[in-house]
Amino acid sequence: MPNLTLQQAARLLGTGKNRLIKQLKERGILDHQRLPRQADVDAGRFVIDLRTHTGNPLWNQGNGQVYGVTLVTPKGLRWLAQQMGVQITNTDKGAA
């Protein structure tokens, strides 16, 4: 299974993206920018995918803005399910 977006992980955990993000923020797992704690990245539960937004040529002298997107690893998905006390639903449908 590849790394999952927060929306895909939420679907597999039987909740919505916004509810999952709210719970992760309340537990201190995600910060205000929706990035995970370094300890959870080091543990292999999450990865941060760096992306560049170049939609506005006025930002950063036309070089765009770099931002991070949180992805959940398969190990992280199992860990989240355990933390939340839920079972992972159909992994074939959710990753699509």
Side-chain angles (χ1 to χ4, degrees):
M1 178 188 324
N3 294 331
L4 304 168
T5 64
L6 290 173
Q7 182 170 348
Q8 291 168 327
R11 189 178 307 127
L12 293 173
L13 294 168
T15 189
K17 175 185 165 188
N18 292 339
R19 271 184 242 122
L20 176 63
I21 290 170
K22 181 180 177 186
Q23 288 179 346
L24 295 178
K25 284 182 177 182
E26 287 172 353
R27 294 171 187 234
I29 296 169
L30 294 182
D31 67 12
H32 68 283
Q33 294 178 321
R34 298 181 184 171
L35 297 176
R37 299 180 294 202
Q38 186 63 48
D40 291 318
V41 173
D42 293 343
R45 298 178 188 127
F46 298 95
V47 294
I48 300 172
D49 183 25
L50 292 179
R51 299 183 182 174
T52 305
H53 171 52
T54 57
N56 187 340
L58 300 177
W59 287 350
N60 194 20
Q61 290 91 31
N63 295 320
Q65 173 106 9
V66 176
Y67 62 99
V69 174
T70 299
L71 299 176
V72 182
T73 65
K75 177 181 179 180
L77 183 65
R78 290 188 301 273
W79 179 77
L80 285 174
Q82 182 182 28
Q83 294 292 310
M84 297 170 70
V86 298
Q87 297 231 349
I88 300 171
T89 58
N90 191 346
T91 57
D92 294 331
K93 265 200 245 176

